[in-house]
Amino acid sequence: MGTLLAVCAACASLGAWLWLTFAQGMFWRTDVRLPPRAAPARWPSVAIVVPARDEAQVLPYSLPSLIAQDYPGEAEVILVDDGSTDGTGELARRLSHEQPGLPLTVVSPGDPGPGWTGKLWALRHGIALARTAHADEPEYLLLTDADIAHEPDSLRELVAAATSADLDLVSQMARLRTVGFWERLVVPAFVYFFAQLYPFRRINRPGSRTAAAAGGCVLLRTATAVRAGVPDSIRQAVIDDVSLARAVQGAGGRIWLGLAERVDSVRPYPALADLWRMVARSAYAQLRHRPALLAGTVAGLVLVYLVPPAALLGGLGAGRPVLAWAGGLAWLLMAGTYLPMVRHYRQPAALALLLPFTALLYLLMTVDSAVRHYQGRGAAWKGRTYARPSDA
């Protein structure tokens, strides 16, 4: 009976991987880049809004890249200092004085209002300032995190893509840092899992009901943001990028999401604990704080990621060829679909075989996220705790 159950589990895992590989929007492909684009006849005005809380460590690497944007139209940078205690605002002003380029405005909105997460509160004030500071409000908003560095042509390419394809939201998944051991092990899988949940090709298909964005780099048409009521309509969202994309799509806007080649995160995650906090702060919110979804997710992760290596090794050890073949083929599909992401991050191909171990780490992070929620710590980030955040 035990052998039969093991074979059934291995075959179910193999079936899941066959479905994921061929029926889940080709999520594993990493060739989704900015759509074909041409320079517009007139370059629209853009306000770059940067929410920042205690970002003095990374700001010298990211903010100068925004100020130095080579953009043919009118553009400005608004940094919203969200209650920083490390001199983020003062550092931003000094960096602006040291480097010529786009004008920079630094504002401090105070503590978040009731029902608001800190980042969205900062974005609210930055967007409001952008819309009222001049006689004509900007036609586009570039919402980008304080740890994201842009190549000089980043804004120009984003706007050209949006205007050429008549897109209301264009978002790029920034290339995250992979320097240390734990970053190399965990970070590519983070993007892989995200793409598995929200296949980029499916999102970008006209009329699709799948919506997501990457919060580090979002170009948004201002008129569409107003029509969708953002960020007010998503003010409680911890997973703000997905919520933003859903709101824009719900307002009739066209969205696009892909991988970036020239937009990079400079935030270091040197220790496993740093990466653990990044994932655990929002994992249970992704599951809508529902125990049944948590249980299903844990069971799914075990079946899909942990059963294949266990079946292969167990089948070889017990002389059960069917068990070993089912587990081995499932593991091969798993590694094969992960390999393009590993290569996108310029890591050794052998790293793809370690995905079961990485998935185990994510399983534990997800469980820990739920434990923190029920302990009243909720989604804790940079000194703030959102006890019962909404995911929409």
Side-chain angles (χ1 to χ4, degrees), residues 82-303:
D82 181 22
S84 298
T85 59
D86 65 350
T88 289
E90 294 79 2
L91 175 60
R93 294 184 182 94
R94 186 169 74 248
L95 291 171
S96 176
H97 292 152
E98 293 173 354
Q99 175 178 330
L102 301 183
L104 171 72
T105 302
V106 179
V107 294
S108 300
D111 292 334
W116 284 84
T117 60
K119 179 180 177 180
L120 289 172
W121 179 253
L123 285 176
R124 178 179 187 263
H125 283 264
I127 292 172
L129 177 62
R131 295 184 61 205
T132 59
H134 309 288
D136 297 320
E137 68 179 21
E139 295 166 77
Y140 285 90
L141 303 162
L142 176 58
L143 313 179
T144 184
D145 289 347
D147 66 314
I148 303 298
H150 295 251
E151 291 295 327
D153 62 349
S154 175
L155 179 58
R156 188 170 68 244
E157 294 298 312
L158 285 166
V159 171
T163 55
S164 297
D166 192 26
L167 296 167
D168 296 274
L169 183 153
V170 178
S171 181
Q172 288 186 293
M173 177 71 73
R175 195 191 301 267
L176 307 179
R177 202 183 91 135
T178 50
V179 176
F181 170 78
W182 290 110
E183 290 174 331
R184 292 173 177 174
L185 183 69
V186 174
V187 164
F190 178 83
V191 183
Y192 173 85
F193 292 144
F194 184 91
Q196 193 177 85
L197 286 172
Y198 308 103
F200 296 168
R201 291 174 178 270
R202 187 173 294 170
I203 290 169
N204 300 340
R205 186 189 308 151
S208 173
R209 299 182 63 182
T210 304
C217 178
V218 177
L219 183 74
L220 176 62
R221 196 193 305 266
T222 306
T224 305
V226 173
R227 189 167 68 248
V230 295
D232 297 61
S233 61
I234 59 170
R235 60 185 176 275
Q236 288 183 303
V238 172
I239 309 174
D240 52 87
D241 42 14
V242 175
S243 299
L244 172 63
R246 288 173 177 168
V248 169
Q249 188 185 74
R254 293 187 58 201
I255 65 176
W256 185 95
L257 172 63
L259 293 171
E261 293 179 311
R262 295 160 62 78
V263 177
D264 300 281
S265 172
V266 296
R267 187 182 304 284
Y269 292 98
L272 177 59
D274 302 310
L275 290 159
W276 193 290
R277 283 191 295 271
M278 178 190 74
V279 175
R281 73 185 178 99
S282 61
Y284 198 39
Q286 181 71 57
L287 301 177
R288 306 174 192 173
H289 306 102
R290 295 181 181 178
L293 286 179
L294 174 65
T297 297
V298 169
L301 287 171
V302 170
L303 176 67

Side-chain angles (χ1 to χ4, degrees), residues 338-353:
Y338 187 38
L339 184 59
M341 189 62 69
V342 170
R343 286 177 171 168
H344 173 70
Y345 273 91
R346 307 184 184 100
Q347 299 303 311
L351 187 66
L353 293 172

